[in-house]
Short mmCIF file of all heavy atoms in Angstrom, two decimals:
data_model
loop_
_atom_site.label_atom_id
_atom_site.label_comp_id
_atom_site.label_asym_id
_atom_site.label_seq_id
_atom_site.Cartn_x
_atom_site.Cartn_y
_atom_site.Cartn_z
N GLN A 64 173.84 -61.05 -20.86
CA GLN A 64 175.26 -61.20 -21.11
C GLN A 64 175.65 -62.67 -21.00
O GLN A 64 175.45 -63.28 -19.96
CB GLN A 64 176.08 -60.36 -20.14
CG GLN A 64 177.56 -60.33 -20.44
CD GLN A 64 178.29 -59.28 -19.62
OE1 GLN A 64 177.79 -58.82 -18.59
NE2 GLN A 64 179.46 -58.89 -20.06
N ALA A 65 176.20 -63.21 -22.08
CA ALA A 65 176.72 -64.56 -22.10
C ALA A 65 178.22 -64.52 -21.78
O ALA A 65 178.87 -63.50 -22.00
CB ALA A 65 176.48 -65.22 -23.45
N PRO A 66 178.80 -65.61 -21.29
CA PRO A 66 180.22 -65.63 -20.94
C PRO A 66 181.10 -65.23 -22.12
O PRO A 66 180.95 -65.73 -23.23
CB PRO A 66 180.47 -67.08 -20.54
CG PRO A 66 179.15 -67.57 -20.05
CD PRO A 66 178.14 -66.89 -20.93
N GLY A 67 182.02 -64.29 -21.88
CA GLY A 67 182.94 -63.85 -22.90
C GLY A 67 182.38 -62.86 -23.90
O GLY A 67 183.10 -62.42 -24.80
N LEU A 68 181.11 -62.48 -23.76
CA LEU A 68 180.46 -61.57 -24.69
C LEU A 68 180.06 -60.28 -24.00
O LEU A 68 180.03 -60.19 -22.78
CB LEU A 68 179.23 -62.23 -25.32
CG LEU A 68 179.48 -63.52 -26.11
CD1 LEU A 68 178.16 -64.07 -26.65
CD2 LEU A 68 180.44 -63.28 -27.25
N ASN A 69 179.74 -59.27 -24.80
CA ASN A 69 179.27 -57.99 -24.28
C ASN A 69 177.83 -58.12 -23.76
O ASN A 69 177.09 -59.02 -24.16
CB ASN A 69 179.32 -56.92 -25.35
CG ASN A 69 180.72 -56.56 -25.77
OD1 ASN A 69 181.65 -56.59 -24.96
ND2 ASN A 69 180.90 -56.21 -27.03
N ARG A 70 177.47 -57.20 -22.91
CA ARG A 70 176.09 -57.12 -22.46
C ARG A 70 175.24 -56.53 -23.58
O ARG A 70 175.58 -55.49 -24.15
CB ARG A 70 175.99 -56.26 -21.20
CG ARG A 70 174.63 -56.31 -20.54
CD ARG A 70 174.66 -55.68 -19.15
NE ARG A 70 175.57 -56.38 -18.26
CZ ARG A 70 175.71 -56.11 -16.96
NH1 ARG A 70 175.00 -55.14 -16.41
NH2 ARG A 70 176.58 -56.80 -16.23
N ASP A 71 174.14 -57.19 -23.91
CA ASP A 71 173.29 -56.80 -25.03
C ASP A 71 171.91 -56.37 -24.58
O ASP A 71 171.36 -56.88 -23.60
CB ASP A 71 173.14 -57.96 -26.02
CG ASP A 71 174.41 -58.28 -26.78
OD1 ASP A 71 175.23 -57.37 -27.00
OD2 ASP A 71 174.59 -59.45 -27.16
N PHE A 72 171.35 -55.46 -25.34
CA PHE A 72 169.97 -55.02 -25.13
C PHE A 72 169.00 -56.13 -25.50
O PHE A 72 169.19 -56.84 -26.49
CB PHE A 72 169.70 -53.78 -25.98
CG PHE A 72 168.24 -53.46 -26.13
CD1 PHE A 72 167.52 -52.92 -25.08
CD2 PHE A 72 167.59 -53.70 -27.33
CE1 PHE A 72 166.17 -52.62 -25.21
CE2 PHE A 72 166.25 -53.40 -27.48
CZ PHE A 72 165.54 -52.86 -26.42
N VAL A 73 167.93 -56.28 -24.72
CA VAL A 73 166.90 -57.26 -24.98
C VAL A 73 165.54 -56.59 -25.22
O VAL A 73 164.91 -56.80 -26.25
CB VAL A 73 166.77 -58.28 -23.83
CG1 VAL A 73 165.59 -59.22 -24.06
CG2 VAL A 73 168.07 -59.07 -23.68
N ALA A 74 165.09 -55.80 -24.26
CA ALA A 74 163.76 -55.18 -24.35
C ALA A 74 163.69 -53.98 -23.43
O ALA A 74 164.41 -53.90 -22.43
CB ALA A 74 162.67 -56.19 -23.99
N VAL A 75 162.81 -53.04 -23.75
CA VAL A 75 162.62 -51.85 -22.93
C VAL A 75 161.14 -51.47 -22.93
O VAL A 75 160.43 -51.73 -23.90
CB VAL A 75 163.50 -50.68 -23.45
CG1 VAL A 75 162.98 -50.16 -24.78
CG2 VAL A 75 163.61 -49.57 -22.43
N ILE A 76 160.70 -50.86 -21.84
CA ILE A 76 159.32 -50.40 -21.71
C ILE A 76 159.34 -49.02 -21.08
O ILE A 76 160.10 -48.76 -20.14
CB ILE A 76 158.47 -51.40 -20.90
CG1 ILE A 76 156.99 -51.01 -20.93
CG2 ILE A 76 158.98 -51.54 -19.48
CD1 ILE A 76 156.08 -52.12 -20.42
N ASN A 77 158.50 -48.12 -21.59
CA ASN A 77 158.48 -46.76 -21.07
C ASN A 77 157.77 -46.70 -19.72
O ASN A 77 157.20 -47.68 -19.24
CB ASN A 77 157.85 -45.80 -22.08
CG ASN A 77 156.36 -45.99 -22.23
OD1 ASN A 77 155.81 -47.04 -21.95
ND2 ASN A 77 155.68 -44.94 -22.69
N SER A 78 157.82 -45.53 -19.10
CA SER A 78 157.32 -45.39 -17.74
C SER A 78 155.84 -45.71 -17.61
O SER A 78 155.41 -46.27 -16.61
CB SER A 78 157.59 -43.97 -17.21
OG SER A 78 156.95 -42.99 -18.03
N GLY A 79 155.06 -45.35 -18.62
CA GLY A 79 153.63 -45.60 -18.59
C GLY A 79 153.24 -47.01 -19.02
O GLY A 79 152.07 -47.38 -18.88
N GLY A 80 154.18 -47.77 -19.55
CA GLY A 80 153.90 -49.13 -19.96
C GLY A 80 153.14 -49.25 -21.27
O GLY A 80 152.64 -50.33 -21.59
N ASP A 81 153.06 -48.18 -22.04
CA ASP A 81 152.31 -48.19 -23.29
C ASP A 81 153.20 -48.15 -24.53
O ASP A 81 152.69 -47.98 -25.64
CB ASP A 81 151.30 -47.04 -23.32
CG ASP A 81 151.94 -45.67 -23.17
OD1 ASP A 81 153.15 -45.59 -22.88
OD2 ASP A 81 151.21 -44.67 -23.34
N ASP A 82 154.51 -48.31 -24.34
CA ASP A 82 155.43 -48.32 -25.47
C ASP A 82 156.57 -49.28 -25.16
O ASP A 82 157.17 -49.19 -24.08
CB ASP A 82 155.95 -46.93 -25.77
CG ASP A 82 156.68 -46.84 -27.10
OD1 ASP A 82 156.35 -47.63 -28.01
OD2 ASP A 82 157.57 -45.98 -27.24
N THR A 83 156.87 -50.18 -26.09
CA THR A 83 157.94 -51.16 -25.91
C THR A 83 158.81 -51.23 -27.15
O THR A 83 158.39 -50.84 -28.25
CB THR A 83 157.38 -52.56 -25.61
OG1 THR A 83 156.54 -52.98 -26.70
CG2 THR A 83 156.57 -52.56 -24.33
N TYR A 84 160.02 -51.75 -26.97
CA TYR A 84 160.95 -51.93 -28.07
C TYR A 84 161.79 -53.15 -27.77
O TYR A 84 162.22 -53.36 -26.62
CB TYR A 84 161.82 -50.69 -28.25
CG TYR A 84 162.82 -50.79 -29.37
CD1 TYR A 84 162.40 -50.87 -30.69
CD2 TYR A 84 164.19 -50.79 -29.12
CE1 TYR A 84 163.31 -50.95 -31.73
CE2 TYR A 84 165.11 -50.88 -30.15
CZ TYR A 84 164.66 -50.95 -31.45
OH TYR A 84 165.56 -51.04 -32.48
N TYR A 85 162.05 -53.98 -28.80
CA TYR A 85 162.74 -55.24 -28.61
C TYR A 85 163.92 -55.38 -29.56
O TYR A 85 163.89 -54.88 -30.69
CB TYR A 85 161.80 -56.43 -28.86
CG TYR A 85 160.63 -56.49 -27.92
CD1 TYR A 85 159.43 -55.84 -28.23
CD2 TYR A 85 160.70 -57.20 -26.73
CE1 TYR A 85 158.35 -55.91 -27.38
CE2 TYR A 85 159.62 -57.27 -25.87
CZ TYR A 85 158.45 -56.62 -26.20
OH TYR A 85 157.38 -56.69 -25.34
N ALA A 86 164.93 -56.09 -29.12
CA ALA A 86 166.00 -56.50 -30.01
C ALA A 86 165.44 -57.45 -31.06
O ALA A 86 164.52 -58.23 -30.80
CB ALA A 86 167.12 -57.19 -29.24
N ASP A 87 165.99 -57.37 -32.28
CA ASP A 87 165.50 -58.23 -33.36
C ASP A 87 165.58 -59.71 -32.99
O ASP A 87 164.74 -60.51 -33.42
CB ASP A 87 166.29 -57.97 -34.64
CG ASP A 87 165.96 -56.64 -35.28
OD1 ASP A 87 164.89 -56.08 -34.97
OD2 ASP A 87 166.77 -56.17 -36.10
N SER A 88 166.58 -60.08 -32.21
CA SER A 88 166.80 -61.48 -31.87
C SER A 88 165.70 -62.07 -30.99
O SER A 88 165.56 -63.29 -30.93
CB SER A 88 168.15 -61.65 -31.18
OG SER A 88 168.22 -60.86 -30.00
N VAL A 89 164.93 -61.22 -30.31
CA VAL A 89 163.89 -61.70 -29.41
C VAL A 89 162.50 -61.26 -29.82
O VAL A 89 161.51 -61.70 -29.21
CB VAL A 89 164.15 -61.28 -27.95
CG1 VAL A 89 165.56 -61.69 -27.52
CG2 VAL A 89 163.96 -59.78 -27.77
N LYS A 90 162.39 -60.41 -30.82
CA LYS A 90 161.10 -59.88 -31.24
C LYS A 90 160.16 -61.02 -31.64
O LYS A 90 160.53 -61.91 -32.39
CB LYS A 90 161.29 -58.90 -32.39
CG LYS A 90 160.05 -58.10 -32.74
CD LYS A 90 160.37 -57.05 -33.81
CE LYS A 90 161.41 -56.05 -33.30
NZ LYS A 90 161.70 -54.99 -34.30
N GLY A 91 158.94 -60.97 -31.12
CA GLY A 91 157.96 -62.00 -31.39
C GLY A 91 158.01 -63.17 -30.43
O GLY A 91 157.09 -63.99 -30.42
N ARG A 92 159.08 -63.26 -29.63
CA ARG A 92 159.22 -64.36 -28.66
C ARG A 92 159.15 -63.87 -27.21
O ARG A 92 158.65 -64.57 -26.35
CB ARG A 92 160.53 -65.10 -28.87
CG ARG A 92 160.66 -65.72 -30.26
CD ARG A 92 161.90 -66.62 -30.34
NE ARG A 92 163.13 -65.86 -30.14
CZ ARG A 92 164.01 -66.10 -29.17
NH1 ARG A 92 163.81 -67.08 -28.30
NH2 ARG A 92 165.12 -65.36 -29.08
N PHE A 93 159.69 -62.68 -26.96
CA PHE A 93 159.74 -62.13 -25.61
C PHE A 93 158.74 -60.99 -25.47
O PHE A 93 158.46 -60.26 -26.43
CB PHE A 93 161.13 -61.57 -25.29
CG PHE A 93 162.22 -62.61 -25.14
CD1 PHE A 93 162.02 -63.93 -25.49
CD2 PHE A 93 163.46 -62.23 -24.63
CE1 PHE A 93 163.03 -64.87 -25.36
CE2 PHE A 93 164.47 -63.16 -24.50
CZ PHE A 93 164.26 -64.48 -24.86
N THR A 94 158.21 -60.81 -24.25
CA THR A 94 157.30 -59.73 -23.95
C THR A 94 157.70 -59.07 -22.64
O THR A 94 157.80 -59.74 -21.62
CB THR A 94 155.85 -60.22 -23.85
OG1 THR A 94 155.46 -60.85 -25.07
CG2 THR A 94 154.91 -59.04 -23.59
N ILE A 95 157.92 -57.76 -22.68
CA ILE A 95 158.21 -57.00 -21.47
C ILE A 95 156.93 -56.32 -20.99
O ILE A 95 156.12 -55.86 -21.80
CB ILE A 95 159.33 -55.97 -21.71
CG1 ILE A 95 159.76 -55.30 -20.40
CG2 ILE A 95 158.92 -54.93 -22.74
CD1 ILE A 95 161.01 -54.43 -20.53
N SER A 96 156.73 -56.28 -19.69
CA SER A 96 155.57 -55.63 -19.11
C SER A 96 155.95 -55.06 -17.74
O SER A 96 157.00 -55.39 -17.20
CB SER A 96 154.39 -56.59 -18.99
OG SER A 96 154.70 -57.69 -18.16
N ARG A 97 155.08 -54.21 -17.19
CA ARG A 97 155.37 -53.64 -15.88
C ARG A 97 154.08 -53.43 -15.10
O ARG A 97 153.00 -53.28 -15.67
CB ARG A 97 156.14 -52.33 -16.01
CG ARG A 97 155.35 -51.18 -16.64
CD ARG A 97 156.27 -50.00 -16.95
NE ARG A 97 156.86 -49.42 -15.74
CZ ARG A 97 157.93 -48.64 -15.72
NH1 ARG A 97 158.55 -48.35 -16.87
NH2 ARG A 97 158.38 -48.14 -14.58
N ASP A 98 154.23 -53.39 -13.79
CA ASP A 98 153.15 -53.14 -12.85
C ASP A 98 153.64 -52.03 -11.93
O ASP A 98 154.39 -52.29 -10.98
CB ASP A 98 152.82 -54.41 -12.07
CG ASP A 98 151.71 -54.22 -11.06
OD1 ASP A 98 151.29 -53.07 -10.81
OD2 ASP A 98 151.25 -55.23 -10.51
N ASN A 99 153.24 -50.80 -12.22
CA ASN A 99 153.75 -49.67 -11.46
C ASN A 99 153.20 -49.63 -10.04
O ASN A 99 153.85 -49.11 -9.14
CB ASN A 99 153.44 -48.37 -12.18
CG ASN A 99 154.34 -48.14 -13.37
OD1 ASN A 99 155.37 -48.79 -13.52
ND2 ASN A 99 153.97 -47.18 -14.22
N THR A 100 152.00 -50.17 -9.84
CA THR A 100 151.42 -50.20 -8.50
C THR A 100 152.29 -51.03 -7.56
O THR A 100 152.54 -50.64 -6.42
CB THR A 100 149.99 -50.76 -8.53
OG1 THR A 100 149.16 -49.91 -9.33
CG2 THR A 100 149.42 -50.84 -7.12
N ASN A 101 152.74 -52.18 -8.03
CA ASN A 101 153.56 -53.08 -7.22
C ASN A 101 155.05 -52.95 -7.51
O ASN A 101 155.84 -53.73 -6.96
CB ASN A 101 153.10 -54.52 -7.44
CG ASN A 101 151.71 -54.77 -6.91
OD1 ASN A 101 151.45 -54.59 -5.73
ND2 ASN A 101 150.80 -55.18 -7.79
N LYS A 102 155.43 -52.03 -8.36
CA LYS A 102 156.83 -51.75 -8.68
C LYS A 102 157.54 -53.01 -9.18
O LYS A 102 158.57 -53.42 -8.65
CB LYS A 102 157.55 -51.14 -7.48
CG LYS A 102 156.99 -49.80 -7.06
CD LYS A 102 157.79 -49.20 -5.91
CE LYS A 102 157.25 -47.84 -5.52
NZ LYS A 102 158.01 -47.24 -4.40
N LYS A 103 156.97 -53.60 -10.21
CA LYS A 103 157.52 -54.81 -10.81
C LYS A 103 157.64 -54.64 -12.32
O LYS A 103 156.83 -53.96 -12.95
CB LYS A 103 156.64 -56.02 -10.52
CG LYS A 103 156.48 -56.37 -9.05
CD LYS A 103 157.68 -57.12 -8.53
CE LYS A 103 157.46 -57.54 -7.09
NZ LYS A 103 156.32 -58.48 -6.94
N VAL A 104 158.64 -55.26 -12.89
CA VAL A 104 158.78 -55.38 -14.33
C VAL A 104 159.02 -56.85 -14.65
O VAL A 104 159.69 -57.56 -13.88
CB VAL A 104 159.89 -54.46 -14.88
CG1 VAL A 104 161.24 -54.82 -14.29
CG2 VAL A 104 159.93 -54.51 -16.39
N TYR A 105 158.48 -57.30 -15.78
CA TYR A 105 158.53 -58.71 -16.13
C TYR A 105 159.08 -58.90 -17.54
O TYR A 105 159.00 -58.02 -18.39
CB TYR A 105 157.13 -59.33 -16.07
CG TYR A 105 156.43 -59.14 -14.76
CD1 TYR A 105 155.52 -58.10 -14.58
CD2 TYR A 105 156.67 -59.99 -13.69
CE1 TYR A 105 154.87 -57.92 -13.38
CE2 TYR A 105 156.03 -59.82 -12.48
CZ TYR A 105 155.13 -58.78 -12.33
OH TYR A 105 154.48 -58.61 -11.13
N LEU A 106 159.63 -60.08 -17.77
CA LEU A 106 160.03 -60.50 -19.10
C LEU A 106 159.51 -61.91 -19.32
O LEU A 106 159.99 -62.85 -18.67
CB LEU A 106 161.55 -60.44 -19.28
CG LEU A 106 162.04 -60.74 -20.69
CD1 LEU A 106 161.62 -59.63 -21.65
CD2 LEU A 106 163.56 -60.91 -20.71
N ARG A 107 158.54 -62.05 -20.19
CA ARG A 107 158.02 -63.35 -20.57
C ARG A 107 158.79 -63.83 -21.79
O ARG A 107 158.79 -63.17 -22.82
CB ARG A 107 156.52 -63.27 -20.89
CG ARG A 107 155.90 -64.56 -21.38
CD ARG A 107 155.89 -65.62 -20.30
NE ARG A 107 155.23 -66.84 -20.71
CZ ARG A 107 155.16 -67.95 -20.00
NH1 ARG A 107 155.71 -68.00 -18.80
NH2 ARG A 107 154.53 -69.01 -20.48
N MET A 108 159.43 -64.99 -21.68
CA MET A 108 160.27 -65.53 -22.73
C MET A 108 159.64 -66.82 -23.24
O MET A 108 159.52 -67.79 -22.50
CB MET A 108 161.68 -65.78 -22.22
CG MET A 108 162.34 -64.54 -21.64
SD MET A 108 164.06 -64.82 -21.12
CE MET A 108 163.79 -65.94 -19.74
#
């Protein structure tokens, strides 16, 4: 969310970490990942 703007979707990852979906604006640049053992989710930009 940028100042004065709506909150926008960026990326999502399913519970098993084997399926992802990205907003067109970030596709090819951002990567979402998760580590269920350590209960972490990441966004590489």
Side-chain angles (χ1 to χ4, degrees):
Q64 187 169 20
L68 300 179
N69 293 326
R70 189 168 299 186
D71 290 331
F72 165 74
V73 174
V75 70
I76 187 167
N77 71 336
S78 60
D81 58 351
D82 192 29
T83 59
Y84 180 66
Y85 299 89
D87 288 341
S88 59
V89 307
K90 191 174 298 182
R92 299 188 298 121
F93 291 11
T94 302
I95 187 171
S96 61
R97 67 190 296 161
D98 179 351
N99 285 346
T100 298
N101 294 301
K102 297 183 178 180
K103 299 281 184 63
V104 61
Y105 306 96
L106 185 68
R107 176 67 176 175
M108 303 183 293

